[in-house]
Structures are given as structure tokens and as C-alpha cells.
Amino acid sequence: MRNVVWSGSSIVMLAVCLSGGVATADDSTSLGDKIGAALSAVNSYQVDIAWPAAGRGGSLVVVHGVGSRYRETRRLGDTISFIMLGPTLYQRTSAGWHKFIMDPNDFASLSQPTAFRRSAEPLPDRTEGGVTVGAIKTTVTMVLPDLDPVSSTRGPGVCTYDKGTFLLRACTFDQTTLQYSHYNDQSLTIEVPAEAKDAPVVNLPPILPPSS
């Protein structure tokens, strides 16, 4: 059976999904604060991700609420889907659905708010689809709880945002582009298929050190 690969990118994905991407006072500018707070305040959103040079793409749908349900789909030869519901991770590959239960310590640690340190250097306004939007040059560093000194830094990159709501519209980091959409869209629902619920259960080994 194909298993979840616990790499650094897997840990980053889990932290983002479980914490909801909460911005903190570590943001280095008031503009970074406003953009981070705007994203944290919405109930749902979608991010379409593309790596054109590698011929890859995917999407991440985030729905905040009771149960904290998330879904990510990636393309890398085939399609891999993830649905996260509390400490349970459902994974679909070409072989079908698998069901994994996270270690309780890992779930507790990764459920803590993640510290995002975001620089936001204002750039001249630009036009996207006939609309004037704000732009920033940004570097984002995410420090994972209980995994010091492991961190993930992206940037510098360029993001555009709505000048009224401060919600992100698009970001480019190196060869990766992210398109943000469907803010507070009630049609964004994440349901666990019956075949996923009935899949064999695998208890995952710990990936984080014990909490102090």
C-alpha cells in the first residue's frame, strides 16, 4: 500500500492546514499585518498552484469551521488528493483511498497557531483584468511549533492584493504561481466519500519531538 511520505514539505502542508495560516504580530509591516489578517478572517478560499517549468499544478481548498476540513489536490504524473478532518488524513492515489490517524502529540503541536513572519515592501499599483490592484514584494517565513529550528521561507516574490479588502489575488515565487479566489464562497464544501471513510486505518508514527 502506498503510504504518506513524511518529508519537510509534508510537515509544512500539515501545519498550514491545521493552523489555518494565522498571521501574528511578527509581520514586519502594517501592510503585511493587514494582508495576513484579511486571509485569516475569511471562512473559505481556494488557491490554484502552478509550476509551469515542471508541468505540474494543483489546488488547495481551505474551509474553516467546525471540524476544520481541508482538501489538497496535486498533479505529479497522477493525481493525489488529501482530505484532513481533525487528526484523520484521507489520501487518494491511483490505488484508491487510504486513511491515516496522526500521532496525538503531532496533531496537538501542528494545531497550534503557526507564526508567519511576512515582509511587505509596497510596489506601484498595477492593473489586473481592468482592475487597479495593490502590489508588494514579500518574503514569508513560517516557523513550525515544536520543530525548532526548522522553518520554511518563500521569497522574495511579488503578490497582488485587493486594495479595499487586502485579500490576496495572485503571488509569484520563483517558478511557482498562486491564484487566490472563491473567498467566503459557500459552494466550497469538503465531504469525505464513503469509500474513504471505510478505508483501512493506519496509525502514523510520530514525526515531531515530544512536547516539553
Side-chain angles (χ1 to χ4, degrees), residues 2-120:
R2 187 172 181 176
N3 206 335
V4 172
V5 178
W6 293 114
S7 63
S9 60
S10 299
I11 296 173
V12 170
M13 184 274 289
L14 286 171
V16 170
C17 288
L18 290 171
S19 70
V22 178
T24 74
D26 292 329
D27 289 350
S28 59
T29 69
S30 60
L31 181 55
D33 286 337
K34 291 176 181 178
I35 292 172
L39 187 61
S40 298
V42 297
N43 294 321
S44 60
Y45 60 94
Q46 178 171 320
V47 187
D48 294 304
I49 309 166
W51 300 267
R56 296 167 53 194
S59 64
L60 169 66
V61 173
V62 179
V63 180
H64 300 301
V66 177
S68 298
R69 304 181 184 190
Y70 306 88
R71 177 180 62 209
E72 178 186 0
T73 303
R74 300 178 297 175
R75 290 199 312 273
L76 183 56
D78 59 356
T79 298
I80 301 174
S81 298
F82 296 93
I83 297 176
M84 297 197 67
L85 182 57
T88 305
L89 171 65
Y90 302 91
Q91 180 192 43
R92 185 183 66 184
T93 68
S94 57
W97 282 99
H98 310 301
K99 182 177 180 180
F100 304 91
I101 306 298
M102 292 179 62
D103 174 80
N105 175 67
D106 290 347
F107 177 69
S109 297
L110 292 172
S111 295
Q112 299 175 30
T114 305
F116 280 82
R117 300 189 179 98
R118 177 185 292 103
S119 66

